[in-house]
Amino acid sequence: MKILVTGGAGFIGSAVVRYLINETDCEVINVDKLTYAGNLDSLADVAASPRYSFYQVDIRSKNALDEIFAAQQPDAVMHLAAESHVDRSIEGPQAFIETNIVGTYTLLEAARSYWNRLDAPRQAAFRFHHISTDEVYGDLEPQDPAFTETTAYAPSSPYSASKASSDHLVRSWHRTFGLPVVLSNCSNNYGPFHFPEKLIPHVILNALQGQPLPVYGDGAQVRDWLFVEDHARALYAVVSRGEVGQTYNIGGHNEKTNLQVVHTLCDLLEERGAVKPEGVAHFRDLITFVKDRPGHDKRYAVDAGKIHAHLGWTPQETFETGMRKTVDWYLENSPWWARVLSGDYALERLGEHATESVEA
Ligand code: NAD
């Protein structure tokens, strides 16, 4: 299969690209604008593969997308490109509307005009896989059952509302135009190559630098955590074997409060012998409670029974094994995160890495 992956330089996208190159014989066409969240360092191990190519392109650029579809003739699209950070969506929602809604619309239109020109067998085999989040379902009370694929949408933040909008667009392109789509909605991911603005890498790196470990409100918000490489395997199962028109919820069966996550990270850093900055007796001493995020969802939990029953997928990592792998990865890969923290990762993105560079 030749797969056009959007957002392949991001956290989950790069895990998907590494999985496709290392664990399958798929060809990968990575289409990524390289926003602050896109990092080609995360693809260093696979970038030289003859089965990998990269286009530095904004998904709102219809002409550029048309050219890529025509030149590359993909069998499937895995659409991960998005603005993904809830706090940024509160500070500045516009980029979320532009990329997550307008960008998805533009990609759907490019895929549709390409798909319309395919012959019947290739039309039938084509897949447009939209990657989304459990946050579209809103939040849960402690006693509520986990989200299923039929839970009503009730997004709370500009981020989740823009992802919900894009999910609706994708379903309507299937119903109205017949585009063969599949969707997946996943819980919170963690693992290697995670941009340090997100909770888990932020806590690890702040702890190593002796800086406060900020916890929103009382830290009682519950998230269902999934190791990113388990998500990549699930996504490949969905794009290669999922039924057209279906949605699959993906989750790790790991409901933890944010405070439990921070405690686990502090304890793992102690256990792994991480060097403590001067004056820090215990990593837990750095925990600092800060003003809660507006509209903060209380609890997410995903029922992943359908993807298990239909596609045979279950996570390979438990919360304990995945968190240990993650902490070890950050301890062993300081050059990766040092270049992110210094901003150096973004200096080399003026087009020379791209197979092609196209302005939006
Ligand atoms: P990320 O922010 O790490 O990466 C996003 C990638 O998209 C970056 O490489 C960025 O350069 C690229 N991008 C952004 N705007 C673009 C544009 N206009 N054109 C082309 N490329 C653009 O995000 P992530 O955490 O890897 O999430 C990937 C997808 O998975 C998103 O759609 C997100 O909604 C979804 N998701 C994320 C999580 C999670 O826990 N991180 C959970 C469930 C679903």
Side-chain angles (χ1 to χ4, degrees):
M1 235 196 320
K2 193 172 195 179
I3 305 182
L4 190 161
V5 176
T6 70
F11 167 51
I12 301 171
S14 69
V16 168
V17 173
R18 289 190 304 272
Y19 178 83
L20 292 173
I21 296 295
N22 292 330
E23 308 293 334
T24 77
D25 55 10
C26 291
E27 278 183 60
V28 176
I29 307 137
N30 178 12
V31 174
D32 196 300
K33 176 184 174 183
L34 298 183
T35 66
Y36 79 94
N39 186 348
L40 293 176
D41 289 357
S42 308
L43 295 165
D45 287 352
V46 295
S49 167
R51 291 185 286 118
Y52 172 81
S53 55
F54 172 59
Y55 291 81
Q56 187 173 355
V57 160
D58 189 317
I59 56 163
R60 291 169 306 155
S61 174
K62 175 74 163 46
N63 290 345
L65 293 177
D66 286 342
E67 282 173 28
I68 297 168
F69 274 104
Q72 294 285 353
Q73 300 282 310
D75 303 302
V77 171
M78 295 176 83
H79 175 35
L80 296 105
E83 289 291 338
S84 71
H85 190 43
V86 174
D87 288 341
R88 286 181 188 257
S89 83
I90 295 167
E91 281 153 27
Q94 187 174 348
F96 290 72
I97 307 303
E98 289 290 339
T99 287
N100 300 0
I101 304 179
V102 179
T104 300
Y105 155 74
T106 310
L107 183 67
L108 280 166
E109 280 296 78
R112 182 166 76 97
S113 67
Y114 163 73
W115 176 76
N116 273 331
R117 290 193 294 272
L118 294 176
D119 59 27
R122 288 202 69 203
Q123 272 198 345
F126 185 79
R127 294 289 179 273
F128 185 103
H129 179 185
H130 180 61
I131 284 86
S132 192
T133 165
D134 63 350
E135 299 189 30
V136 297
Y137 300 120
D139 66 353
L140 296 167
E141 295 297 332
Q143 69 285 356
D144 288 342
F147 302 129
T148 70
E149 289 78 2
T150 55
T151 301
Y153 276 31
S156 312
S157 70
Y159 164 65
S160 53
S162 68
K163 291 297 291 187
S165 306
S166 64
D167 292 11
H168 292 319
L169 290 175
V170 172
R171 288 197 182 93
S172 74
W173 255 243
H174 173 56
R175 175 83 188 250
T176 306
F177 303 115
L179 190 71
V181 308
V182 281
L183 294 91
S184 54
N185 293 78
C186 188
S187 60
N188 279 45
N189 283 217
Y190 68 97
F193 302 101
H194 206 178
F195 196 81
E197 69 186 350
K198 301 283 172 74
L199 176 70
I200 287 177
H202 189 61
V203 165
I204 296 172
L205 299 185
N206 273 19
L208 293 175
Q209 296 169 101
Q211 289 167 13
L213 311 181
V215 174
Y216 278 131
D218 58 3
Q221 310 85 359
V222 174
R223 303 291 179 258
D224 177 359
W225 292 95
L226 180 68
F227 191 62
V228 67
E229 291 170 16
D230 277 326
H231 190 192
R233 283 193 309 108
L235 294 178
Y236 184 60
V238 171
V239 75
S240 58
R241 294 186 286 117
E243 193 183 322
V244 169
Q246 292 292 312
T247 297
Y248 299 89
N249 277 359
I250 306 170
H253 310 291
N254 286 312
E255 283 188 55
K256 303 285 173 197
T257 66
N258 285 348
L259 192 57
Q260 280 174 319
V261 169
V262 176
H263 282 159
T264 302
L265 290 169
C266 291
D267 297 349
L268 278 170
L269 286 167
E270 304 274 354
E271 178 196 303
R272 306 318 256 183
V275 179
K276 289 201 194 70
E278 224 178 283
V280 178
H282 304 284
F283 286 116
R284 281 191 185 214
D285 298 342
L286 294 167
I287 293 172
T288 311
F289 293 93
V290 298
K291 189 170 174 290
D292 207 354
R293 168 195 279 168
H296 208 169
D297 285 335
K298 288 190 281 286
R299 174 178 168 240
Y300 306 135
V302 170
D303 179 341
K306 178 175 170 181
I307 188 171
H308 176 60
H310 292 211
L311 304 178
W313 175 87
T314 55
Q316 287 179 355
E317 301 295 341
T318 63
F319 183 72
E320 289 68 30
T321 61
M323 289 289 269
R324 188 165 280 124
K325 279 188 177 176
T326 303
V327 167
D328 284 349
W329 188 87
Y330 279 92
L331 290 175
E332 287 158 13
N333 288 277
S334 54
W336 182 88
W337 53 260
R339 275 170 57 78
V340 175
L341 295 183
S342 69
D344 285 355
Y345 78 107
L347 294 176
E348 297 153 3
R349 57 178 48 194
L350 303 173
E352 72 266 34
H353 290 282
T355 311
E356 199 149 314
S357 180
V358 185
E359 290 298 311

